[in-house]
Amino acid sequence: MKNRILVGAVALVSTFALGGCGFVPGSEASSSKKVTIWLMKDSVSADFLKRFTKTYEDEHSSIELEFKIQSWSGIGPKVTDALKGKDTPDVIEVGNTQVPQYAESGGLRDLTLESVRDLGSEDWLPGLADPGSIDGVQYGIPWYAANRVVIYNKDLFEQAGIKTPPKTRDEWIADSAQLNRNGNQGIYLAGQNWYVLAGFIWDEGGELAEERGGDWEGALDSPGAIRGMSFYKELQALGDGPKDADEEKPPQAKVFAKGDVAQIISVPGAAAQIEQLNPELKGKLGYFPIPGKTATAPGSVFTGGSDLIVPQKASQRTAGIDVIKALAGRKWQEELARTMSYVPNKPDLARVIVGQEGTAAMARGATKGRATPNSPQWANVEAVNPIKPYMTAVLQGGDPQEEAKAASEKITDQLAVR
């Protein structure tokens, strides 16, 4: 699914509307091969798309690019139909965690060779690359990423005598406790922010679900996962976040904008909304990666983003793969990072992000990024999401082991639904 994380990331740049029709700047002669690419609304700016199209068509005189902009709403069935041969494009942008369910249909082109030979797949961000790889076959080519960071109020940090952001979990807890006084909240963390919980679980060596003997089973009751939930509870108590709601109820940016919250965990793009709600906070917001257990690396984070896939039934499969090579290659990855403030698909390409504190923090965190379990049925879990009520139950005093076992059983049941 396309995760809400990218809604905030897109707020870093001006929104635009290309519409649902093809965007074809500079059409070539009628004898040209037409390569049709489905991109999602607001993934890239009109200017980026125009520059890419002109450059690519100038370098490939026999190719005409046709971009068709799609809405995330209802895209799943549309992609499924396309993979069956109905109005099939040559390239499709999909959410990174959607790749397994599309690969299960058997309708995707194997891109393993191109990944290794042409695109340096060994250097890709794991959170983008891993969901696109099924049983050792690379079906999804990483395009861009976004992940959560800590957004903080510099004034409140200064008033608390905190000169530098924390780099370890222990420092983070100590600083948040210091900030959680004098009418201020040390951190606003809603009780059901399960993407944040996932990172804590991964840092403790746990998993949301594991594959055993070809079947997927919930794993919230493992020792590592229990430790991750314990840390979440300790951190969540250093503020007044609701125990029975997620970060959208109420919207955490709106809460932060009141000026008495020291920290929230969100994508950097939330800062624009915060400053719009409270202009007095403009220039007073800082960012740092979610701290890890030691200062040697940031904490694990859920990576949201997009991969590019090629349908088996595409009429221009080879030409489509060449377009992907360009979009996922160094030149246009760097352009995408500069233009859209996304994290590029390789950590070393993030050096082009200059003067963007939030995006730089996001890129550092992305090096420890991961995705949800690589099961085609994971969408079933998120549809009913037993993780959220599990978190609430523990935060309200329920027995962690018992609640985790019950939630894990529900996850196992959903992963068995085909």
Side-chain angles (χ1 to χ4, degrees):
M1 74 272 116
K2 180 70 172 182
N3 296 291
R4 287 176 296 179
I5 189 169
L6 290 174
V7 175
V10 172
L12 285 165
V13 295
S14 298
T15 57
F16 64 97
L18 295 177
C21 58
F23 178 85
V24 194
S27 296
E28 296 287 347
S30 58
S31 60
S32 298
K33 282 185 181 178
K34 180 182 287 187
V35 179
T36 302
I37 306 106
W38 284 6
L39 295 186
M40 305 311 298
K41 186 177 185 296
D42 293 342
S43 282
V44 294
S45 68
D47 177 67
F48 175 90
L49 202 56
K50 183 177 181 179
R51 286 187 287 115
F52 176 80
T53 301
K54 184 179 188 309
T55 301
Y56 194 87
E57 291 184 348
D58 285 348
E59 294 173 351
H60 302 79
S61 59
S62 64
I63 297 296
E64 175 187 350
L65 300 183
E66 179 185 41
F67 288 96
K68 293 187 175 182
I69 306 306
Q70 309 294 325
S71 170
W72 285 109
S73 177
I75 190 60
K78 190 169 184 178
V79 172
T80 299
D81 285 345
L83 297 182
K84 293 177 181 177
K86 182 178 179 181
D87 190 28
T88 305
D90 303 299
V91 177
I92 307 175
E93 175 194 352
V94 299
N96 60 321
T97 59
Q98 291 177 327
V99 179
Q101 70 187 80
Y102 296 139
E104 188 182 39
S105 72
L108 299 188
R109 177 74 177 266
D110 179 350
L111 303 175
T112 308
L113 174 62
E114 292 81 6
S115 300
V116 176
R117 182 190 63 197
D118 305 317
L119 291 169
S121 58
E122 68 275 7
D123 298 323
W124 283 338
L125 291 171
L128 283 182
D130 291 351
S133 178
I134 314 298
D135 296 328
V137 178
Q138 195 73 41
Y139 294 105
I141 302 299
W143 193 21
Y144 62 80
N147 50 267
R148 290 166 176 79
V149 300
V150 182
I151 302 177
Y152 70 99
N153 185 316
K154 292 180 178 180
D155 281 354
L156 296 185
F157 268 57
E158 183 179 354
Q159 292 169 19
I162 302 171
K163 297 181 179 179
T164 58
K167 290 184 171 59
T168 69
R169 276 193 187 180
D170 288 343
E171 292 175 359
W172 195 17
I173 289 292
D175 287 350
S176 298
Q178 178 71 16
L179 291 158
N180 193 43
R181 58 185 64 180
N182 301 324
N184 296 322
Q185 296 186 54
I187 186 168
Y188 180 87
L189 179 59
Q192 296 182 349
N193 197 331
W194 71 276
Y195 285 122
V196 172
L197 171 64
F200 298 159
I201 288 175
W202 293 329
D203 276 344
E204 294 291 349
E207 300 288 348
L208 301 176
E210 294 181 315
E211 188 175 14
R212 301 184 181 118
D215 294 322
W216 284 87
E217 299 177 2
L220 293 178
D221 53 340
S222 69
I226 294 292
R227 290 194 298 271
M229 184 63 218
S230 177
F231 178 76
Y232 190 100
K233 184 175 182 179
E234 182 180 10
L235 184 66
Q236 202 268 342
L238 298 175
D240 298 331
K243 293 178 172 59
D244 58 352
D246 63 23
E247 64 273 23
E248 295 300 324
K249 299 175 184 178
Q252 62 177 355
K254 187 174 181 180
V255 176
F256 187 92
K258 295 177 181 178
D260 60 356
V261 172
Q263 308 168 86
I264 58 171
I265 301 172
S266 183
V267 290
Q273 183 182 1
I274 292 166
E275 292 174 352
Q276 183 178 20
L277 290 167
N278 184 354
E280 292 183 3
L281 289 177
K282 191 172 181 61
K284 298 181 179 180
L285 303 182
Y287 314 81
F288 58 89
I290 293 175
K293 298 184 73 174
T294 70
T296 58
S300 297
V301 290
F302 168 76
T303 300
S306 283
D307 282 12
L308 299 170
I309 60 174
V310 175
Q312 281 282 18
K313 293 184 180 296
S315 61
Q316 302 293 343
R317 291 191 300 275
T318 300
I321 292 172
D322 286 340
V323 173
I324 288 180
K325 289 178 187 177
L327 287 170
R330 175 178 293 273
K331 175 182 177 179
W332 289 102
Q333 279 291 295
E334 291 180 344
E335 281 296 308
L336 190 65
R338 280 190 287 259
T339 302
M340 303 298 298
S341 298
Y342 291 144
V343 177
N345 60 18
K346 295 179 180 179
D348 72 306
L349 301 182
R351 67 182 183 277
V352 303
I353 303 168
V354 178
Q356 300 180 37
E357 183 185 353
T359 309
M362 187 165 63
R364 292 197 299 274
T367 60
K368 289 291 297 294
R370 292 186 55 181
T372 47
N374 210 11
S375 164
Q377 280 71 48
W378 183 254
N380 297 338
V381 176
E382 293 198 27
V384 296
N385 210 329
I387 305 173
K388 287 186 172 184
Y390 153 67
M391 296 172 71
T392 294
V394 174
L395 293 175
Q396 292 179 340
D399 180 84
Q401 192 68 49
E402 291 181 5
E403 298 294 347
K405 186 175 186 299
S408 293
E409 290 173 352
K410 292 177 182 176
I411 290 174
T412 300
D413 289 343
Q414 291 303 316
L415 292 176
V417 177
R418 295 179 182 274

